[in-house]
Amino acid sequence: MPFTEVLPARLCALAPIGVFDSGVGGLSVLRAIRQTLPHHPLLYVADTAYAPYGERPAAFIESRASHIARFLVREGAQALVIACNTASVHASKSLRAQYTIPIVAIEPAIKPATAITKTGVIGVLATNQTLASASVANLCATYGSHCRIILQACPGLADQVDRGDFDSFATRALLQDYLTPLRDAGADVIVLGCTHYPFLSPLIQSMVGLGVTLLDPADAVARELLRRLNLPPQAPTAQVRGATADELFFVSGPLAKGQAVLSGVWGGAPSVVRFPQSR
Ligand code: DGL
C-alpha cells in the first residue's frame, strides 16, 4: 500500500524522509530527527523479520538495505537515513551509487571519542559486523593512533532492546560481560556504536559510573540530514515523546509484536503496517 493511501493527504504535500534499521534501535535516530523536524512526515522500516543484522553475512545485509531503500524511494522519500551502523558500513556505498537523493549513514563516534578521552582508553560497543568492517578500522587508524581503542562486540544486546527489555537480569548480565573489559582497562569514553544501545544508556551509565562519557551520534545524524536537505540548523524542540500522525512505521516481522514494541519504545499509538516483502 503506498504511503499516500495510508497517511492523511495533508502530509503528502511534503515528501517524507525514509529511515530504517533492523529493529527498534533506529528509533534513537528517528527521535533526534523528530526533535529537529517536529512536523515532517517520517517513514520508518524495522526489518524485524531479519533482525538482528549484527551476525549476518555482509552480502545479506546489503541486499536487505537495498530492498528497503527501493521501497522507501518508491514511497516518495526525498532522503534516506540508514539508522543502523551495521547496515551503514555494509550498504551505504552501494545505496549512494544507486540513488541521487541524500543518503545519510551513521558511524560509531570514534573520532569525537578520541578528542575527549583523558585516560586515552576508549571502548566501542557495536555488533560483530560493524567492528569487523573496514570503516571502523579506518576510523581507528585515522583518529586513534594516540589512544587504546577496545572494540567490544555485544551479541544478544540488540535482541534485548528489540524485546523492549531495557533492565532485566539477562540484559544486566550481558552488559556485565561486555563492560567489564572496558572498565578494567580504564576507559573513560564509551562509544554506543549500535543504534539499539542508547535505549540502554541509563543502565550502562549506572553500571560504569558518571565519570564515563557515553557517546551517541544520533543528534549529529539529524544535523547532517538537515544540512543535506539544505534546511537551516534548528535547535531541537523540547523532548518529543509519543506517536503523531506524521509517522508511519513498517515492520517485516509479525505485526502485533511490532505494534507492541514500537508503541512501548516510541510511545503512544503509532501507525504500524506490514512491510511489503515482495516490492
Ligand atoms: N541497530 C543496528 C546497528 O546500529 C543493528 C543491530 C542488529 O541488528 O544487530 O548496528
Side-chain angles (χ1 to χ4, degrees), residues 21-26 50-55 83-87 106 126-127 130 158-159 162 193-197:
D21 179 34
S22 62
V24 298
Y50 300 98
Y53 282 171
E55 311 292 319
C84 172
N85 292 263
T86 314
I106 190 165
T127 68
T130 297
D159 308 70
D162 278 336
C194 167
T195 54
H196 283 68
Y197 304 163

Side-chain angles (χ1 to χ4, degrees):
M1 181 184 291
F3 172 69
T4 46
E5 288 174 27
V6 179
L7 283 188
R10 70 179 178 84
L11 297 179
C12 303
L14 266 180
I17 293 162
V19 182
F20 69 92
D21 179 34
S22 62
V24 298
L27 296 181
S28 60
V29 177
L30 197 75
R31 185 171 57 193
I33 295 172
R34 177 50 84 220
Q35 281 175 347
T36 48
L37 293 172
H39 305 295
H40 202 99
L42 302 174
L43 302 180
Y44 182 89
V45 177
D47 199 11
T48 48
Y50 300 98
Y53 282 171
E55 311 292 319
R56 292 197 181 262
F60 179 87
I61 297 164
E62 189 181 336
S63 137
R64 287 307 301 165
S66 167
H67 184 64
I68 294 166
R70 190 163 51 245
F71 167 77
L72 289 168
V73 169
R74 280 192 194 154
E75 294 298 306
Q78 61 167 311
L80 297 181
V81 178
I82 312 175
C84 172
N85 292 263
T86 314
S88 290
V89 296
H90 292 297
S92 55
K93 213 166 154 188
S94 66
L95 293 186
R96 285 181 177 133
Q98 289 173 60
Y99 300 104
T100 53
I101 59 171
I103 296 180
V104 179
I106 190 165
E107 66 181 19
I110 291 172
K111 180 183 174 187
T114 61
I116 62 169
T117 178
K118 292 195 172 57
T119 62
V121 184
I122 292 162
V124 183
L125 304 178
T127 68
N128 267 312
Q129 275 291 11
T130 297
L131 295 180
S133 68
S135 313
V136 165
N138 284 340
L139 286 170
C140 293
T142 308
Y143 302 107
S145 54
H146 61 294
C147 298
R148 178 173 173 211
I149 302 181
I150 302 170
L151 302 179
Q152 177 63 57
C154 305
L157 206 53
D159 308 70
Q160 295 301 102
V161 175
D162 278 336
R163 286 187 199 107
D165 182 347
F166 304 142
D167 193 358
S168 67
F169 178 79
T171 304
R172 280 176 180 265
L174 281 174
L175 278 173
Q176 189 64 38
D177 283 352
Y178 301 146
L179 295 173
T180 298
L182 313 188
R183 215 170 23 204
D184 290 352
D188 64 344
V189 184
I190 295 180
V191 174
L192 304 178
C194 167
T195 54
H196 283 68
Y197 304 163
F199 292 107
L200 300 172
S201 286
L203 179 57
I204 295 174
Q205 196 79 69
S206 75
M207 292 173 78
V208 295
L210 293 175
V212 175
T213 303
L214 307 184
L215 288 187
D216 166 15
D219 289 337
V221 170
R223 282 195 301 275
E224 175 63 6
L225 175 67
L226 290 184
R227 197 186 67 75
R228 299 290 306 278
L229 293 175
N230 291 320
L231 294 170
Q234 294 177 31
T237 52
Q239 194 67 30
V240 176
R241 172 114 188 110
T244 71
D246 298 336
E247 297 120 22
L248 180 61
F249 297 86
F250 298 86
V251 292
S252 56
L255 185 58
K257 195 171 155 203
Q259 275 164 333
V261 177
L262 279 161
S263 142
V265 176
W266 190 249
S271 303
V272 187
V273 294
R274 273 306 295 265
F275 176 71
Q277 289 294 352
S278 57
R279 294 183 64 187

